[in-house]
Amino acid sequence: EAQVTQNPRYLITVTGKKLTVTCSQNMNHEYMSWYRQDPGLGLRQIYYSMNVEVTDKGDVPEGYKVSRKEKRNFPLILESPSPNQTSLYFCASSWDRGVYNEQFFGPGTRLTVL
Amino acid sequence: AQSVAQPEDQVNVAEGNPLTVKCTYSVSGNPYLFWYVQYPNRGLQFLLKYITGDNLVKGSYGFEAEFNKSQTSFHLKKPSALVSDSALYFCAVRGNYNTDKLIFGTGTRLQVFP
């Protein structure tokens, strides 16, 4: 089954404790992206990757890091989480930057930073 | 600058009645338009898209959307609503320049009452 998987689905942590949210897709997509969803703000892009070893900032990259060492994986790293990073996070993948093709989304990771 | 607006936070409709979820946009050049749906505790799912061609686009689950260039709108419609259509709906838009990004609206919650 074609899918995007994220782990963990739920995470409660404390300020400053480094964490990684994993994302993996099995569709051989070149483009992958991370979004955060906050009430009243919709989805905002954090980082995206056009291909292996190619990453770039989205609209809200501060406090986040990503890497793309393999085509299928695109982990999101919070080196020192803060309460304002409490949010619902989605990983997505597609054949391109969302120009012609739809994005496939993971199930989401609900992060709470205390 | 690109922008997308979903003017209604929530739309309420009785089962069996037609529904409309509104979306307006602003881009330079030609728009690429998408609708996504988010069911509770799930990631976003693609519904339909407009790239070019016929202004009336048909998508999944009986939904359709009409591209109106003069009004810069891309409203989502369904002739007869189902209770199971209750979800959060996102409109997304991208311009046709290479540097344009896909941006999402803030979402509209559709509530269909039995």
Side-chain angles (χ1 to χ4, degrees), chain B residues 18-63:
Chain B
L19 69 88
T20 299
V21 182
K22 296 179 180 177
C23 173
T24 59
Y25 66 89
S26 174
V27 298
S28 300
N30 295 321
Y32 301 128
L33 295 150
F34 301 80
W35 276 102
Y36 288 84
V37 60
Q38 183 181 25
Y39 297 104
N41 299 315
R42 302 284 296 275
L44 279 71
Q45 297 176 31
F46 169 76
L47 273 181
L48 51 79
K49 65 184 176 185
Y50 172 83
I51 304 299
T52 187
D54 195 347
N55 289 345
L56 184 63
V57 179
K58 294 188 183 297
S60 307
Y61 312 122
F63 284 93

Short mmCIF file of all heavy atoms in Angstrom, two decimals, chain B residues 18-63:
data_model
loop_
_atom_site.label_atom_id
_atom_site.label_comp_id
_atom_site.label_asym_id
_atom_site.label_seq_id
_atom_site.Cartn_x
_atom_site.Cartn_y
_atom_site.Cartn_z
N PRO B 18 -27.48 20.52 -0.76
CA PRO B 18 -26.20 20.83 -1.42
C PRO B 18 -25.29 21.60 -0.47
O PRO B 18 -25.76 22.32 0.41
CB PRO B 18 -26.62 21.70 -2.61
CG PRO B 18 -27.94 22.26 -2.23
CD PRO B 18 -28.60 21.26 -1.36
N LEU B 19 -23.99 21.43 -0.68
CA LEU B 19 -23.02 22.15 0.14
C LEU B 19 -22.03 22.91 -0.73
O LEU B 19 -21.73 22.49 -1.86
CB LEU B 19 -22.28 21.19 1.08
CG LEU B 19 -21.29 20.20 0.48
CD1 LEU B 19 -19.88 20.81 0.35
CD2 LEU B 19 -21.22 18.94 1.35
N THR B 20 -21.55 24.01 -0.20
CA THR B 20 -20.50 24.80 -0.85
C THR B 20 -19.50 25.22 0.21
O THR B 20 -19.89 25.75 1.26
CB THR B 20 -21.07 26.05 -1.53
OG1 THR B 20 -21.99 25.66 -2.55
CG2 THR B 20 -19.95 26.87 -2.17
N VAL B 21 -18.23 25.01 -0.07
CA VAL B 21 -17.15 25.50 0.78
C VAL B 21 -16.33 26.46 -0.09
O VAL B 21 -15.83 26.08 -1.15
CB VAL B 21 -16.27 24.36 1.31
CG1 VAL B 21 -15.19 24.90 2.23
CG2 VAL B 21 -17.11 23.32 2.05
N LYS B 22 -16.18 27.68 0.39
CA LYS B 22 -15.62 28.74 -0.46
C LYS B 22 -14.11 28.85 -0.36
O LYS B 22 -13.51 28.63 0.71
CB LYS B 22 -16.27 30.08 -0.10
CG LYS B 22 -17.76 30.11 -0.38
CD LYS B 22 -18.35 31.46 0.01
CE LYS B 22 -19.85 31.48 -0.28
NZ LYS B 22 -20.46 32.76 0.16
N CYS B 23 -13.52 29.25 -1.48
CA CYS B 23 -12.08 29.49 -1.54
C CYS B 23 -11.81 30.57 -2.57
O CYS B 23 -12.31 30.48 -3.70
CB CYS B 23 -11.34 28.21 -1.92
SG CYS B 23 -9.57 28.43 -2.23
N THR B 24 -11.06 31.58 -2.19
CA THR B 24 -10.59 32.57 -3.15
C THR B 24 -9.08 32.65 -3.05
O THR B 24 -8.49 32.31 -2.03
CB THR B 24 -11.21 33.96 -2.88
OG1 THR B 24 -10.87 34.38 -1.56
CG2 THR B 24 -12.72 33.92 -3.04
N TYR B 25 -8.45 33.12 -4.10
CA TYR B 25 -7.00 33.07 -4.16
C TYR B 25 -6.45 34.32 -4.84
O TYR B 25 -7.18 35.06 -5.52
CB TYR B 25 -6.54 31.83 -4.93
CG TYR B 25 -6.94 31.88 -6.38
CD1 TYR B 25 -6.10 32.45 -7.34
CD2 TYR B 25 -8.17 31.39 -6.80
CE1 TYR B 25 -6.50 32.54 -8.67
CE2 TYR B 25 -8.57 31.47 -8.12
CZ TYR B 25 -7.73 32.05 -9.04
OH TYR B 25 -8.12 32.14 -10.35
N SER B 26 -5.16 34.51 -4.69
CA SER B 26 -4.45 35.56 -5.38
C SER B 26 -3.07 35.04 -5.74
O SER B 26 -2.30 34.65 -4.86
CB SER B 26 -4.32 36.81 -4.50
OG SER B 26 -3.53 37.79 -5.13
N VAL B 27 -2.78 34.99 -7.04
CA VAL B 27 -1.45 34.59 -7.51
C VAL B 27 -1.09 35.43 -8.72
O VAL B 27 -1.97 36.00 -9.37
CB VAL B 27 -1.38 33.08 -7.91
CG1 VAL B 27 -1.67 32.19 -6.73
CG2 VAL B 27 -2.32 32.79 -9.06
N SER B 28 0.18 35.47 -9.01
CA SER B 28 0.64 36.07 -10.26
C SER B 28 0.66 34.96 -11.30
O SER B 28 1.17 33.88 -11.04
CB SER B 28 2.03 36.66 -10.09
OG SER B 28 2.02 37.65 -9.09
N GLY B 29 0.11 35.21 -12.44
CA GLY B 29 0.08 34.18 -13.45
C GLY B 29 -1.08 33.22 -13.24
O GLY B 29 -2.04 33.52 -12.54
N ASN B 30 -0.96 32.06 -13.84
CA ASN B 30 -2.03 31.07 -13.76
C ASN B 30 -1.95 30.28 -12.46
O ASN B 30 -0.89 29.91 -12.02
CB ASN B 30 -1.94 30.11 -14.95
CG ASN B 30 -2.18 30.83 -16.26
OD1 ASN B 30 -3.04 31.70 -16.34
ND2 ASN B 30 -1.42 30.47 -17.28
N PRO B 31 -3.10 30.00 -11.86
CA PRO B 31 -3.10 29.26 -10.60
C PRO B 31 -3.21 27.76 -10.81
O PRO B 31 -3.81 27.29 -11.77
CB PRO B 31 -4.36 29.78 -9.92
CG PRO B 31 -5.30 30.01 -11.06
CD PRO B 31 -4.45 30.48 -12.23
N TYR B 32 -2.61 27.03 -9.88
CA TYR B 32 -2.86 25.60 -9.74
C TYR B 32 -3.57 25.44 -8.41
O TYR B 32 -3.05 25.87 -7.38
CB TYR B 32 -1.55 24.81 -9.76
CG TYR B 32 -0.75 25.01 -11.03
CD1 TYR B 32 0.58 25.39 -10.97
CD2 TYR B 32 -1.34 24.82 -12.27
CE1 TYR B 32 1.32 25.56 -12.12
CE2 TYR B 32 -0.60 25.00 -13.43
CZ TYR B 32 0.72 25.38 -13.36
OH TYR B 32 1.45 25.57 -14.50
N LEU B 33 -4.73 24.82 -8.41
CA LEU B 33 -5.61 24.83 -7.25
C LEU B 33 -5.95 23.41 -6.81
O LEU B 33 -6.17 22.53 -7.64
CB LEU B 33 -6.91 25.58 -7.60
CG LEU B 33 -6.71 27.07 -7.89
CD1 LEU B 33 -7.75 27.57 -8.87
CD2 LEU B 33 -6.75 27.87 -6.60
N PHE B 34 -6.01 23.23 -5.52
CA PHE B 34 -6.25 21.92 -4.93
C PHE B 34 -7.25 22.03 -3.78
O PHE B 34 -7.31 23.05 -3.10
CB PHE B 34 -4.94 21.32 -4.37
CG PHE B 34 -3.85 21.15 -5.37
CD1 PHE B 34 -3.06 22.23 -5.74
CD2 PHE B 34 -3.58 19.92 -5.92
CE1 PHE B 34 -2.03 22.08 -6.67
CE2 PHE B 34 -2.55 19.75 -6.83
CZ PHE B 34 -1.78 20.83 -7.20
N TRP B 35 -7.97 20.94 -3.56
CA TRP B 35 -8.76 20.77 -2.34
C TRP B 35 -8.31 19.48 -1.67
O TRP B 35 -8.14 18.43 -2.31
CB TRP B 35 -10.25 20.68 -2.63
CG TRP B 35 -10.92 22.01 -2.75
CD1 TRP B 35 -11.30 22.66 -3.89
CD2 TRP B 35 -11.33 22.86 -1.66
NE1 TRP B 35 -11.91 23.85 -3.58
CE2 TRP B 35 -11.94 24.01 -2.22
CE3 TRP B 35 -11.25 22.76 -0.26
CZ2 TRP B 35 -12.45 25.04 -1.45
CZ3 TRP B 35 -11.76 23.79 0.51
CH2 TRP B 35 -12.36 24.91 -0.09
N TYR B 36 -8.15 19.60 -0.33
CA TYR B 36 -7.82 18.46 0.51
C TYR B 36 -8.85 18.36 1.63
O TYR B 36 -9.41 19.37 2.06
CB TYR B 36 -6.43 18.61 1.13
CG TYR B 36 -5.28 18.44 0.17
CD1 TYR B 36 -4.83 19.52 -0.60
CD2 TYR B 36 -4.63 17.22 0.05
CE1 TYR B 36 -3.77 19.37 -1.47
CE2 TYR B 36 -3.56 17.06 -0.82
CZ TYR B 36 -3.13 18.13 -1.57
OH TYR B 36 -2.08 17.97 -2.43
N VAL B 37 -9.05 17.14 2.13
CA VAL B 37 -9.95 16.91 3.25
C VAL B 37 -9.20 16.23 4.38
O VAL B 37 -8.31 15.41 4.13
CB VAL B 37 -11.17 16.07 2.82
CG1 VAL B 37 -10.75 14.71 2.29
CG2 VAL B 37 -12.15 15.91 3.99
N GLN B 38 -9.53 16.64 5.60
CA GLN B 38 -8.90 16.03 6.76
C GLN B 38 -9.98 15.50 7.69
O GLN B 38 -10.75 16.28 8.27
CB GLN B 38 -8.03 17.04 7.50
CG GLN B 38 -7.27 16.46 8.68
CD GLN B 38 -6.43 17.49 9.40
OE1 GLN B 38 -6.71 18.69 9.35
NE2 GLN B 38 -5.39 17.04 10.07
N TYR B 39 -10.03 14.18 7.83
CA TYR B 39 -10.94 13.57 8.78
C TYR B 39 -10.28 13.53 10.15
O TYR B 39 -9.05 13.59 10.25
CB TYR B 39 -11.34 12.16 8.31
CG TYR B 39 -12.08 12.18 7.00
CD1 TYR B 39 -11.45 11.82 5.81
CD2 TYR B 39 -13.40 12.59 6.95
CE1 TYR B 39 -12.12 11.85 4.60
CE2 TYR B 39 -14.08 12.63 5.73
CZ TYR B 39 -13.43 12.27 4.58
OH TYR B 39 -14.10 12.31 3.38
N PRO B 40 -11.05 13.41 11.21
CA PRO B 40 -10.48 13.44 12.57
C PRO B 40 -9.35 12.43 12.75
O PRO B 40 -9.46 11.27 12.33
CB PRO B 40 -11.67 13.11 13.45
CG PRO B 40 -12.86 13.60 12.68
CD PRO B 40 -12.52 13.33 11.24
N ASN B 41 -8.26 12.92 13.32
CA ASN B 41 -7.09 12.09 13.63
C ASN B 41 -6.47 11.45 12.38
O ASN B 41 -5.84 10.39 12.48
CB ASN B 41 -7.46 10.98 14.63
CG ASN B 41 -7.95 11.56 15.94
OD1 ASN B 41 -7.35 12.49 16.48
ND2 ASN B 41 -9.05 11.04 16.43
N ARG B 42 -6.62 12.10 11.26
CA ARG B 42 -6.03 11.59 10.03
C ARG B 42 -5.24 12.70 9.34
O ARG B 42 -5.41 13.89 9.61
CB ARG B 42 -7.13 11.11 9.08
CG ARG B 42 -8.03 10.02 9.63
CD ARG B 42 -7.34 8.68 9.64
NE ARG B 42 -7.02 8.21 8.31
CZ ARG B 42 -7.86 7.56 7.53
NH1 ARG B 42 -9.10 7.31 7.93
NH2 ARG B 42 -7.48 7.16 6.34
N GLY B 43 -4.37 12.30 8.42
CA GLY B 43 -3.69 13.27 7.59
C GLY B 43 -4.60 13.80 6.50
O GLY B 43 -5.73 13.33 6.33
N LEU B 44 -4.13 14.78 5.76
CA LEU B 44 -4.92 15.34 4.67
C LEU B 44 -4.98 14.36 3.51
O LEU B 44 -4.01 13.66 3.21
CB LEU B 44 -4.31 16.66 4.19
CG LEU B 44 -4.61 17.90 4.98
CD1 LEU B 44 -3.91 17.90 6.32
CD2 LEU B 44 -4.24 19.16 4.17
N GLN B 45 -6.15 14.34 2.86
CA GLN B 45 -6.32 13.50 1.68
C GLN B 45 -6.69 14.39 0.50
O GLN B 45 -7.52 15.29 0.65
CB GLN B 45 -7.43 12.47 1.90
CG GLN B 45 -7.18 11.48 3.00
CD GLN B 45 -8.38 10.58 3.20
OE1 GLN B 45 -9.11 10.27 2.27
NE2 GLN B 45 -8.58 10.13 4.42
N PHE B 46 -6.13 14.09 -0.63
CA PHE B 46 -6.41 14.84 -1.85
C PHE B 46 -7.83 14.57 -2.32
O PHE B 46 -8.30 13.43 -2.34
CB PHE B 46 -5.41 14.41 -2.91
CG PHE B 46 -5.71 14.89 -4.29
CD1 PHE B 46 -5.47 16.21 -4.66
CD2 PHE B 46 -6.21 14.01 -5.24
CE1 PHE B 46 -5.75 16.63 -5.94
CE2 PHE B 46 -6.48 14.43 -6.52
CZ PHE B 46 -6.25 15.75 -6.88
N LEU B 47 -8.53 15.66 -2.71
CA LEU B 47 -9.89 15.53 -3.26
C LEU B 47 -9.92 15.78 -4.75
O LEU B 47 -10.47 14.99 -5.52
CB LEU B 47 -10.83 16.54 -2.58
CG LEU B 47 -11.53 16.15 -1.29
CD1 LEU B 47 -12.42 17.29 -0.85
CD2 LEU B 47 -12.33 14.88 -1.47
N LEU B 48 -9.37 16.93 -5.17
CA LEU B 48 -9.40 17.27 -6.59
C LEU B 48 -8.44 18.42 -6.84
O LEU B 48 -7.94 19.05 -5.92
CB LEU B 48 -10.82 17.65 -7.03
CG LEU B 48 -11.58 18.69 -6.22
CD1 LEU B 48 -11.17 20.11 -6.53
CD2 LEU B 48 -13.09 18.54 -6.43
N LYS B 49 -8.18 18.67 -8.13
CA LYS B 49 -7.27 19.75 -8.50
C LYS B 49 -7.70 20.37 -9.82
O LYS B 49 -8.35 19.73 -10.66
CB LYS B 49 -5.84 19.23 -8.62
CG LYS B 49 -5.65 18.21 -9.75
CD LYS B 49 -4.22 17.67 -9.75
CE LYS B 49 -4.07 16.58 -10.82
NZ LYS B 49 -2.72 15.95 -10.77
N TYR B 50 -7.32 21.63 -9.98
CA TYR B 50 -7.45 22.31 -11.26
C TYR B 50 -6.06 22.75 -11.70
O TYR B 50 -5.37 23.48 -10.99
CB TYR B 50 -8.37 23.54 -11.15
CG TYR B 50 -8.36 24.35 -12.42
CD1 TYR B 50 -9.16 23.99 -13.51
CD2 TYR B 50 -7.51 25.45 -12.55
CE1 TYR B 50 -9.12 24.71 -14.68
CE2 TYR B 50 -7.47 26.17 -13.73
CZ TYR B 50 -8.27 25.80 -14.79
OH TYR B 50 -8.22 26.51 -15.96
N ILE B 51 -5.70 22.29 -12.89
CA ILE B 51 -4.42 22.73 -13.48
C ILE B 51 -4.69 23.56 -14.72
O ILE B 51 -4.20 24.68 -14.87
CB ILE B 51 -3.52 21.53 -13.82
CG1 ILE B 51 -3.29 20.65 -12.58
CG2 ILE B 51 -2.19 21.99 -14.40
CD1 ILE B 51 -2.60 21.36 -11.44
N THR B 52 -5.49 23.03 -15.61
CA THR B 52 -5.88 23.71 -16.82
C THR B 52 -7.09 23.00 -17.40
O THR B 52 -7.45 21.91 -16.94
CB THR B 52 -4.73 23.74 -17.83
OG1 THR B 52 -5.10 24.57 -18.94
CG2 THR B 52 -4.41 22.35 -18.33
N GLY B 53 -7.73 23.61 -18.39
CA GLY B 53 -8.83 22.92 -19.07
C GLY B 53 -10.19 23.29 -18.53
O GLY B 53 -10.44 24.44 -18.16
N ASP B 54 -11.06 22.31 -18.45
CA ASP B 54 -12.45 22.51 -18.05
C ASP B 54 -12.53 23.16 -16.67
O ASP B 54 -11.86 22.73 -15.73
CB ASP B 54 -13.18 21.16 -18.03
CG ASP B 54 -14.68 21.33 -17.98
OD1 ASP B 54 -15.16 22.46 -17.72
OD2 ASP B 54 -15.39 20.33 -18.19
N ASN B 55 -13.36 24.19 -16.56
CA ASN B 55 -13.45 24.92 -15.30
C ASN B 55 -14.13 24.11 -14.20
O ASN B 55 -13.96 24.41 -13.02
CB ASN B 55 -14.22 26.22 -15.50
CG ASN B 55 -13.41 27.24 -16.28
OD1 ASN B 55 -12.20 27.10 -16.44
ND2 ASN B 55 -14.07 28.25 -16.79
N LEU B 56 -14.92 23.14 -14.56
CA LEU B 56 -15.58 22.29 -13.58
C LEU B 56 -14.77 21.02 -13.41
O LEU B 56 -14.61 20.23 -14.35
CB LEU B 56 -17.01 21.97 -14.01
CG LEU B 56 -17.83 21.16 -12.99
CD1 LEU B 56 -18.03 21.96 -11.71
CD2 LEU B 56 -19.19 20.78 -13.59
N VAL B 57 -14.30 20.82 -12.20
CA VAL B 57 -13.44 19.68 -11.91
C VAL B 57 -14.17 18.72 -11.00
O VAL B 57 -14.74 19.13 -9.98
CB VAL B 57 -12.14 20.15 -11.23
CG1 VAL B 57 -11.26 18.96 -10.90
CG2 VAL B 57 -11.40 21.14 -12.09
N LYS B 58 -14.15 17.45 -11.34
CA LYS B 58 -14.78 16.44 -10.50
C LYS B 58 -13.72 15.66 -9.74
O LYS B 58 -12.64 15.38 -10.28
CB LYS B 58 -15.63 15.50 -11.35
CG LYS B 58 -16.83 16.20 -11.99
CD LYS B 58 -17.75 15.23 -12.66
CE LYS B 58 -18.89 15.94 -13.36
NZ LYS B 58 -19.75 16.69 -12.40
N GLY B 59 -14.03 15.33 -8.48
CA GLY B 59 -13.06 14.64 -7.67
C GLY B 59 -13.64 13.46 -6.92
O GLY B 59 -14.66 12.90 -7.31
N SER B 60 -12.98 13.14 -5.82
CA SER B 60 -13.36 11.97 -5.03
C SER B 60 -14.63 12.23 -4.25
O SER B 60 -14.98 13.38 -3.95
CB SER B 60 -12.23 11.61 -4.07
OG SER B 60 -11.01 11.46 -4.73
N TYR B 61 -15.32 11.14 -3.89
CA TYR B 61 -16.48 11.15 -2.98
C TYR B 61 -17.62 12.04 -3.48
O TYR B 61 -18.41 12.54 -2.67
CB TYR B 61 -16.06 11.59 -1.57
CG TYR B 61 -14.83 10.89 -1.05
CD1 TYR B 61 -13.71 11.61 -0.67
CD2 TYR B 61 -14.77 9.51 -0.94
CE1 TYR B 61 -12.57 10.98 -0.19
CE2 TYR B 61 -13.65 8.87 -0.47
CZ TYR B 61 -12.54 9.61 -0.10
OH TYR B 61 -11.42 8.98 0.37
N GLY B 62 -17.72 12.26 -4.78
CA GLY B 62 -18.81 13.06 -5.33
C GLY B 62 -18.61 14.55 -5.27
O GLY B 62 -19.52 15.31 -5.61
N PHE B 63 -17.45 15.00 -4.84
CA PHE B 63 -17.17 16.43 -4.79
C PHE B 63 -16.76 16.98 -6.16
O PHE B 63 -16.21 16.25 -7.00
CB PHE B 63 -16.05 16.73 -3.79
CG PHE B 63 -16.50 16.67 -2.36
CD1 PHE B 63 -16.38 15.50 -1.63
CD2 PHE B 63 -17.04 17.79 -1.74
CE1 PHE B 63 -16.80 15.43 -0.31
CE2 PHE B 63 -17.46 17.74 -0.43
CZ PHE B 63 -17.34 16.55 0.29
#
